[in-house]
Amino acid sequence: MPRPLLPIADARDLVLSACRPLGTESVPIAAARDRVLAADLQASGDVPPFPCSAMDGYAVMPGPAGRTLTVVAESRAGLPATHTLTDQEAIRISTGGAIPTGATAVIPQENVDAHDGTIVTRSPVDPGAHVRGRGEDMRTGATVLTAGTVLEAAELGAAVAAGVAELTVALRPKVQVLSTGDELKAPGEPLGPGEIHNSNGPMLVALAENQGAVCPPPDRLPDDPAATEQGLAAALQTADVIIVSGGVSVGPHDHVKPALARLGVKEIFWRVALQPGKPTWFGRRDDTLVFGLPGNPVSAAVTFALFVVPALTKLQGKTPQRPLYDQASLATAVPRNAEREQAMRVRLERHNGRITAIPNGPQGSHIVTSLLGADALALIPAGTGELEAGTLVALEPLAR
Ligand code: AMP
Ligand code: MG
């Protein structure tokens, strides 16, 4: 009697409870891009650090229109004026220039008539006009970024403004990708009878690297018990995570599970109520996690998105990404699978204010082109008959 298939959510919970976050390291800003911040980051000073001008114009005291003021100095960005301003005076100022002592406002240059070292104000000037206050953006000690944040462009800019040069980030998980199959040929290699190209190797490396992993070159393992064991044993020496594709099904040439068992990798689950992706296997030896993903490229990509992404997220202490849309209305009726939830590749479009999920072409697990241009996975619950067009379905992010 085969074991019942594991629901997707239960499988994901088992993955998450097997993950222990990796350690941290300190890296300079220039090397921190796309890394995960491991400790909250506080501003080391006020930003802006001093009151400064929001416009090119003149630093003045507040007052009515029609004043004639003598231009006595200049405050440029990076070169403050040293003169203390009186009410008869103006100081030329650039955007970002420090507001000189005595001035409390800026009049933009387009609001004055300037000639021979004097200006005539053409508009009234309110207190504080066009002045950026000290600390308006960040206050000393304020938390600017929280642990778990992925450091993209805006985060790097904010970290630098906060006065930081080195960031504490999570270590990147070392992920070894292995593809099993006697039929697999390297990209571009001519194909003999019955052979296909190894799509999964480069695809899984790209997926893992996009999740922050470091991947040594992917390896191919033949469908042979000893060679499979040898390849997995080598990967277990160095990897935090092993992703092995193919060979986890029930065929006579599926050698991955017995090899892992011989190597002491403990099975946590095998077979998920998921289409595509039923043979997905997951286990661990100490802190090394092993994912056995099905060989079909679409199954491998889908199971990567559903199970490997959460693991790489947790290992790096990353705050899980909030999807742009988590529900959509089915554009067409979809046949259901009696015992498995389907992860359908869909494009998302907005129709009459509703997000609609359109199946992205034929859904066979060997149709690698169904991944191209897909925006998300739509989860079709198991059941009989069809799920009607217009039904709201849950969306899962499709990893890229
Ligand atoms: P398996 O899971 O080993 O039974 O493989 C299932 C299907 O996926 C078979 O048609 C394999 O030829 C195919 N397949 C396995 N590995 C790969 C791969 N790395 N790239 C492309 N197709 C693969
Ligand atoms: Mg195979």
Side-chain angles (χ1 to χ4, degrees):
M1 179 71 187
R3 269 181 293 175
L5 300 176
L6 194 64
I8 296 173
D10 294 5
R12 192 143 47 179
D13 286 347
L14 288 170
V15 167
L16 288 175
S17 46
C19 293
R20 273 230 309 249
L22 302 171
T24 65
E25 63 179 332
S26 177
V27 296
I29 286 278
R33 178 175 167 192
D34 292 337
R35 302 292 296 270
V36 181
L37 190 67
D40 289 359
L41 185 146
Q42 275 88 23
S44 66
D46 285 342
V47 180
F50 49 87
C52 59
S53 177
M55 301 289 280
D56 289 317
Y58 297 87
V60 294
M61 291 185 182
R67 287 182 293 160
T68 301
L69 305 172
T70 308
V71 181
V72 292
E74 184 176 16
S75 178
R76 296 165 53 174
L79 266 185
T82 48
H83 184 86
T84 300
L85 188 97
T86 67
D87 65 351
Q88 302 298 308
E89 294 171 342
I91 290 179
R92 186 95 174 93
I93 196 162
S94 317
T95 303
I99 301 294
T101 313
T104 54
V106 169
I107 182 165
Q109 65 186 37
E110 49 274 34
N111 292 359
V112 306
D113 294 313
H115 38 74
D116 283 347
T118 63
I119 57 166
V120 179
T121 61
R122 278 203 268 116
S123 61
V125 180
D126 293 329
H130 306 297
V131 173
R132 298 170 175 166
R134 173 177 177 153
E136 244 178 39
D137 192 4
M138 303 175 192
R139 288 266 176 220
T140 305
T143 298
V144 178
L145 297 170
T146 52
T149 301
V150 178
L151 298 164
E152 296 179 350
E155 288 75 16
L156 295 179
V160 172
V164 165
E166 296 251 329
L167 292 163
T168 306
V169 297
L171 291 174
R172 299 176 64 178
K174 206 176 295 164
V175 174
Q176 178 66 58
V177 171
L178 300 170
S179 311
T180 71
D182 284 337
E183 73 279 32
L184 301 180
K185 289 289 170 197
E189 241 186 296
L191 298 178
E195 293 176 339
I196 60 168
H197 288 118
N198 177 1
S199 290
N200 290 351
M203 182 183 72
L204 289 168
V205 166
L207 286 168
E209 287 182 348
N210 286 345
Q211 293 300 319
V214 183
C215 297
D219 214 356
R220 186 189 73 84
L221 304 178
D223 289 322
D224 164 77
T228 302
E229 183 173 334
Q230 206 178 4
L232 288 165
L236 281 164
Q237 299 294 316
T238 56
D240 297 308
V241 178
I242 298 173
I243 303 176
V244 50
S245 80
V248 285
S249 220
V250 292
H253 307 291
D254 291 333
H255 300 297
V256 170
K257 292 195 307 120
L260 288 169
R262 289 195 296 277
L263 291 165
V265 182
K266 196 174 148 288
E267 177 177 307
I268 295 174
F269 66 77
W270 179 47
R271 298 186 0 132
V272 181
L274 166 65
Q275 182 187 36
K278 178 169 151 183
T280 305
W281 188 97
F282 176 65
R284 72 188 270 192
R285 191 179 83 178
D286 303 322
D287 279 339
T288 305
L289 307 177
V290 182
F291 289 91
L293 304 187
N296 276 306
V298 175
S299 315
V302 164
T303 52
F304 182 95
L306 294 176
F307 307 118
V308 185
V309 169
L312 297 179
T313 298
K314 185 162 175 196
L315 288 175
Q316 295 171 87
K318 201 194 302 190
T319 307
Q321 180 202 351
R322 197 160 51 88
L324 209 47
Y325 304 110
D326 60 2
Q327 270 196 335
S329 149
L330 276 182
T332 55
V334 173
R336 289 200 272 190
N337 180 303
E339 57 168 10
R340 288 186 278 159
E341 204 167 348
Q342 286 174 74
M344 199 170 69
R345 278 77 65 214
V346 295
R347 292 191 313 281
L348 299 179
E349 285 180 13
R350 188 187 288 276
H351 291 290
N352 301 323
R354 274 190 133 189
I355 303 302
T356 304
I358 304 156
N360 197 37
Q363 295 285 319
S365 59
H366 59 300
I367 309 281
V368 70
T369 51
S370 73
L371 295 167
L372 303 179
D375 296 311
L377 296 171
L379 296 183
I380 312 297
T384 50
E386 285 191 332
L387 206 59
E388 281 175 37
T391 308
L392 277 185
V393 290
L395 299 176
E396 283 284 337
L398 186 57
R400 306 189 169 275

